Each structure stands twice: as C-alpha cells, then as structure tokens.
Amino acid sequence: MAFVTTDDGAEIYYKDWGNPDAQPIVFHHGWPLSSDDWDAQMLYFLAEGFRVIASDRRGHGRSSQIGTGHDMDHYASDVSAVVEHLDLHDAVHVGHSTGGGQVARYVAEYGQPQGRVAKAVLVSAVPPLMVKTDANPEGTDISVFDGFRQALAANRAEFFQAVASGPFYGFNRDGVTPSEPVIANWWRQGMTGSAVAHLEGIKAFSETDQTEDLRAITVPVLVLQGDDDQVVPYQDAALKQAELLSDATLKIYEGYPHGMLTTHADVINADILAFIRG
C-alpha cells in the first residue's frame, strides 16, 4: 500500500490509478468514511481516461490513527503532502461533505497559490459553516452536533448503523428501499477508522468557518447538492457556496439525499464529467 508521511508523523494512505500522464482527479471523502466511498466515481473516471487519486483522511480508513491534527488545517495540509509527493498539476479536486470542506481549504491555501488546480467540485459539502451562530442564524444548532458526539462516545457501532440506515442515504424516507450492502459498507468504512478522529472531526466539519476559503477560490467550481439532504441542509450549504464563489455552477437535485454519490452515481458522475470537459 502507498503512504505519505506528513511533517507531524501522520501516515496518509492513498490510491493512484491510471495513466500518470492523464489529467488527475483527486477525490476527498466524507466523515467518517474512507477513499473506498469513491469506488463508483474512481472506476467511472478511470474508464474515461483520467488518472484518479484518493486518500484516507488522517485517522480514517488505512491512514494512521494519529491522536492529533483532526482539524481542517491539517486535513488540507495532508492533501497537499499527497499532491506534492505525486507532483500533480492541472488537477480537479472533488469533495463530498467534510471532504468538500477539505477541498475548499486545500484549494484556497495550497492548490491554487501553487498553480496545481484546474477546477473543483463540491458535493453535498459542509462550507461555509454548518453550526448556528449570530452570524449564521440559518445554521444547525450546536445541540445537534453535541448529540452526535454523545452518541459516538456511547456506542460508535450503533450510531454509525443508525446514520447509514437512516438519513445519510435517505433510507428513512417513505417508498425508499434500503440497501443492506450499502449500509454495511458505510459501517465498515466508519469502524475501520479511529474513534478519536471521528469524535474530533465533528467539530472540524461543523464549526469551521470557511467563508474566506470560498471567497479566495477563483478556479471554476461545480456545486452539487440534493434538496432532500438530511445531513447538510442545502440552503445553508450549496446556495451559500454558489454566492461566495467567484466562478460557480450550481445544480440542485430534487429529492436526492446526502449520499447521492452512491444512490445516484450515474447522474452525478455524468454531470461531473460534463463540467470537467466543458
């Protein structure tokens, strides 16, 4: 397996498939998952002739279960370590949920200043800020995230099962048939990671204000989200992202859930491909 060691000693696992001379697409997964969550996208874009890369966030998946640095700054610097190790240029960065925050911070702080990024895609992403504050009255109350922390600390396995079988994929909606293999795969990915990384990651994805990251990004960005996202409300995420970004293309999907990359991969993949080639 391939790893990059960061300056503070985290070992970051990554996948790198395809022709090394092809345009790279770098995928950034959501909480509490791993790069395996991008299987449907990586295989699709590999078949379309791209070089596809994805890493496991520190404390997640096969990356080391380091006890520190579970914040958006370290997430972005870890991405930069992988990108610089592979010497990627003209890359497209695609982030889902927490991975969307990771993309925004990486592009603003590293990729764009270094001239390594061509475009970005934010899918059901957390920026600019999830938690409710005086400046963000439309946000989600802190009590919700405190509930996440309490449930995770009490019984992480049960909590992850409830998330995957319920709101993440919209399997709690009337008329939707849950996929037990999809639920099991989500649970598997989550339980492979570190409990402390997942616990501290809740603060990272909910309380990090990324308004200035979005304002700093000038490369074209595709913003995608479902209007039935029960995890990240689209009115406080995708709509605000499109307003803050200088070159955004916004698409809202009627009835799609937070995990639409899995439930509607055929639609999402085609839309991302059209954006990249457009």
Side-chain angles (χ1 to χ4, degrees), residues 229-278:
D229 190 325
Q230 301 173 67
V231 178
V232 179
Y234 80 98
Q235 299 96 331
D236 203 38
L239 300 188
K240 290 186 177 180
Q241 293 159 25
E243 291 176 357
L244 290 164
L245 292 160
S246 63
D247 187 357
T249 301
L250 173 66
K251 186 161 187 178
I252 303 296
Y253 300 88
E254 183 177 356
Y256 282 22
H258 187 66
M260 63 183 186
L261 284 164
T262 298
T263 60
H264 298 82
D266 54 342
V267 175
I268 306 302
N269 290 352
D271 286 347
I272 294 175
L273 179 64
F275 170 74
I276 293 173
R277 288 186 170 161

Side-chain angles (χ1 to χ4, degrees), residues 86-264:
L86 297 175
D87 195 24
L88 303 180
H89 294 273
D90 194 33
V92 178
H93 286 264
V94 184
H96 175 245
S97 196
T98 300
Q102 183 171 292
V103 166
R105 180 61 53 90
Y106 166 76
V107 172
E109 294 291 331
Y110 298 93
Q112 193 171 266
Q114 294 172 354
R116 294 180 179 272
V117 178
K119 294 181 178 181
V121 182
L122 302 180
V123 185
S124 309
V126 298
L129 176 63
M130 284 195 71
V131 74
K132 182 178 181 179
T133 65
D134 290 342
N136 186 42
E138 305 86 6
T140 301
D141 195 84
I142 188 69
S143 63
V144 173
F145 304 112
D146 288 340
F148 290 172
R149 281 181 273 262
Q150 292 165 6
L152 190 151
N155 192 319
R156 184 168 61 134
E158 285 189 355
F159 178 50
F160 285 179
Q161 179 75 13
V163 173
S165 61
F168 196 91
Y169 296 111
F171 290 153
N172 56 345
R173 294 305 198 202
D174 290 342
V176 177
T177 302
S179 168
E180 292 304 327
V182 167
I183 294 168
N185 189 43
W186 199 100
W187 188 90
R188 173 193 66 83
Q189 291 178 69
M191 294 305 294
T192 301
S194 157
V196 71
H198 295 158
L199 185 68
E200 295 182 3
I202 294 170
K203 181 179 179 67
F205 74 65
S206 65
E207 299 181 46
T208 305
D209 189 339
Q210 298 195 259
T211 301
E212 296 308 315
D213 289 332
L214 295 173
R215 285 180 173 152
I217 295 171
T218 57
V219 299
V221 182
L222 177 63
V223 176
L224 306 175
Q225 193 162 8
D227 69 1
D228 194 32
D229 190 325
Q230 301 173 67
V231 178
V232 179
Y234 80 98
Q235 299 96 331
D236 203 38
L239 300 188
K240 290 186 177 180
Q241 293 159 25
E243 291 176 357
L244 290 164
L245 292 160
S246 63
D247 187 357
T249 301
L250 173 66
K251 186 161 187 178
I252 303 296
Y253 300 88
E254 183 177 356
Y256 282 22
H258 187 66
M260 63 183 186
L261 284 164
T262 298
T263 60
H264 298 82

